[in-house]
Amino acid sequence: MRLTSSLRFHRQNNKTFLRIFMILVLSCIPGRTNLCSNHSDTRSSLDSLDLEGYITFDDVHNASKDFGNRYQFPPLAILHPKSVSDISTVVRHILHLGSTSNLTVAARGHGHSLQGQALAHQGVVINMESLPSPDIKIYKGTQPYVDVSGGELWINILKETLKHGLSPKSWTDYLHLTVGGTLSNAGIGGQAFKHGPQINNVYQLEIVTGKGEAVTCSKKLNPELFHSVLGGLGQFGIITRARISLGPAPHMVKWIRVLYSDFSTFSRDQEHLISKKKGFDFVEGSVTINRTELLNNWRSSFTPNDSTEASQFKSDGKTLYCLEVVKYFNKEEANSMNQETEKLLSELSYIPSTLFSSVVPYIEAVRSSGEAKTLLVNGEEASFVISNPSHTKP
């Protein structure tokens, strides 16, 4: 009797559960219809905006992933702006739609982010390279600077500033990146220990805020916004223009590479170099695992200090640490530069047979460094930089 009552109770509960479940399912169907309707309405509203540029909805594959290749999030639309006003208009419009649209916005330069920062799942990706780049304006004086578009590439800035004997003080290794992209992250390279990352060498920014307002900011004008945007991963505003500090550009560089087999010795030497007031102008390291004929590959750009010893060195099956350093100089300073370089190298504990060097024009060294690092990444090597804490942004 008790068993029969229990079965009847469970059956009634099951029926009740099924009824509730069916009600929930049926109630979700109109909701889904509304979502599709909202999606269509959002697309139509974006398509109807009065823009100098244009919005695309179909060809969004290239904006669905970034260099990290870990995430794939297709956007609803891509904005190809022809003015800062286009960016402001779209951001204001999305703000006006409110939270019901669920639209997000992401600025995208060359798409070299690693964690999906340049992606906007079913949102709007802004193709910053479509933003016209006016003439790069260079201002000389006691504190020279250059005004550039947020979509401008660093390689173009280098070429233009060198015509005036100037260059930015801090570089990333790879130069085919947009200004807005690196300034939204940090912009760390081999000069960061000396001049700080790129975000420490900016005088002024023009940004579009989350409200769609075009705002100018600096250390004195809207300082909180200025420091939030720099290194802010695009979460506090979209960089549309930047005023970047410049310094005298050297004519030549001496470029040196050496290898270590012990990480502690390698890192100790790196830290020693960045602590010196008068040392190298560029210090960077990388780690390589099981690279065949590593030193022979260097011979295309570098000359070994001892060719015989270098040819006998075997890199196969080893974990090695590469220290890369650069000394800037002008042609009349060659002798003193060589003396300073020899003294600095004598203070290090690298593998003697792996000393390679090259003397090249400044622009060639900057461009080649980026190409070399790209090859290192493809060859399963990882690069890293030890920065001086005194130059980090507050």
Side-chain angles (χ1 to χ4, degrees):
M1 185 70 180
R2 289 179 181 177
L3 181 61
T4 304
S5 300
S6 177
L7 287 172
R8 187 181 297 115
F9 175 76
H10 283 296
R11 285 172 182 170
Q12 288 175 346
N13 275 358
N14 287 340
K15 288 180 181 178
T16 302
F17 171 78
L18 287 173
R19 289 193 188 103
I20 294 172
F21 177 76
M22 289 303 296
I23 291 170
L24 289 172
V25 170
L26 291 172
S27 67
C28 285
I29 292 176
R32 288 177 181 271
T33 305
N34 289 336
L35 286 174
C36 292
S37 176
N38 289 340
H39 187 84
S40 178
D41 291 344
T42 300
R43 176 170 173 161
S44 298
S45 68
L46 287 169
D47 201 25
S48 66
L49 293 176
D50 184 16
L51 303 171
E52 295 177 47
Y54 61 96
I55 293 179
T56 57
F57 298 92
D58 300 323
D59 188 16
V60 298
H61 174 73
N62 290 335
S64 299
K65 55 186 179 179
D66 60 7
F67 186 73
N69 207 28
R70 297 183 61 196
Y71 305 98
Q72 186 160 347
F73 298 134
L76 172 66
I78 302 175
L79 169 65
H80 301 269
K82 294 300 178 185
S83 66
V84 174
S85 177
D86 282 353
I87 300 175
S88 296
T89 298
V90 169
V91 173
R92 279 199 306 268
H93 178 72
I94 293 173
L95 180 67
H96 177 72
L97 291 175
S99 59
T100 55
S101 72
N102 292 320
L103 282 183
T104 57
V105 179
R108 181 186 181 94
H110 249 31
H112 275 72
S113 61
L114 299 177
Q115 299 287 338
Q117 295 95 328
L119 310 180
H121 185 50
Q122 289 304 302
V124 178
V125 168
I126 300 175
N127 179 14
M128 295 302 293
E129 291 186 290
S130 293
L131 190 65
S133 298
D135 293 340
I136 296 175
K137 298 178 180 178
I138 299 169
Y139 298 85
K140 298 181 178 181
T142 54
Q143 291 184 319
Y145 62 85
V146 58
D147 275 338
V148 292
S149 165
E152 188 62 82
L153 299 180
W154 285 100
I155 184 65
N156 296 333
I157 298 172
L158 173 64
K159 292 176 180 178
E160 195 61 33
T161 54
L162 283 179
K163 294 177 183 178
H164 301 268
L166 300 167
S167 76
K169 299 173 183 177
S170 193
W171 295 103
T172 52
D173 286 333
Y174 187 60
L175 298 181
H176 291 268
L177 302 173
T178 60
V179 168
T182 63
L183 295 185
S184 293
N185 285 272
I188 298 175
Q191 307 99 327
F193 76 96
K194 195 170 186 178
H195 300 289
Q198 288 179 325
I199 58 174
N200 278 54
N201 294 277
V202 178
Y203 289 143
Q204 190 182 89
L205 295 172
E206 178 189 78
I207 67 166
V208 173
T209 68
K211 294 182 178 180
E213 301 170 340
V215 177
T216 299
C217 56
S218 66
K219 291 180 180 179
K220 295 183 178 180
L221 180 65
N222 299 315
E224 186 175 357
L225 181 62
F226 178 73
H227 289 298
S228 297
V229 170
L230 291 172
L233 301 177
Q235 299 304 298
F236 300 92
I238 298 169
I239 298 173
T240 56
R241 194 157 188 81
R243 179 168 293 178
I244 299 162
S245 172
L246 300 176
H251 294 157
M252 306 291 292
V253 306
K254 185 160 187 176
W255 191 2
I256 299 167
R257 282 182 181 172
V258 292
L259 291 176
Y260 293 76
S261 58
D262 177 68
F263 180 76
S264 296
T265 306
F266 164 74
S267 59
R268 185 176 63 246
D269 278 0
Q270 253 194 320
E271 291 173 355
H272 170 70
L273 290 177
I274 68 170
S275 67
K276 297 184 73 68
K277 292 184 178 180
K278 291 185 178 181
F280 289 109
D281 299 292
F282 176 104
V283 177
E284 197 166 283
S286 60
V287 58
T288 176
I289 301 174
N290 193 22
R291 282 295 299 276
T292 304
E293 301 294 332
L294 176 61
L295 295 189
N296 278 340
N297 294 335
W298 286 2
R299 290 176 184 269
S300 60
S301 302
F302 295 85
T303 302
N305 187 54
D306 189 315
S307 184
T308 303
E309 287 190 6
S311 63
Q312 295 173 354
F313 181 83
K314 303 297 182 183
S315 59
D316 308 42
K318 297 178 180 179
T319 298
L320 298 167
Y321 306 94
C322 174
L323 177 62
E324 187 172 355
V325 294
V326 168
K327 187 72 173 175
Y328 299 155
F329 68 100
N330 295 323
K331 292 180 180 179
E332 63 274 11
E333 302 167 337
N335 290 335
S336 60
M337 178 277 300
N338 283 325
Q339 292 175 6
E340 291 174 17
T341 299
E342 288 177 9
K343 183 179 184 303
L344 290 168
L345 290 174
S346 69
E347 300 170 3
L348 307 180
S349 301
Y350 56 88
I351 302 171
S353 60
T354 66
L355 174 59
F356 278 64
S357 64
S358 178
V359 175
V360 294
Y362 175 70
I363 186 171
E364 183 179 330
V366 176
R367 290 190 300 192
S368 298
S369 177
E371 294 168 0
K373 289 299 180 298
T374 303
L375 292 173
L376 292 180
V377 171
N378 292 337
E380 298 182 353
E381 296 193 13
S383 299
F384 50 91
V385 179
I386 298 178
S387 299
N388 191 328
S390 64
H391 290 292
T392 56
K393 183 173 74 67

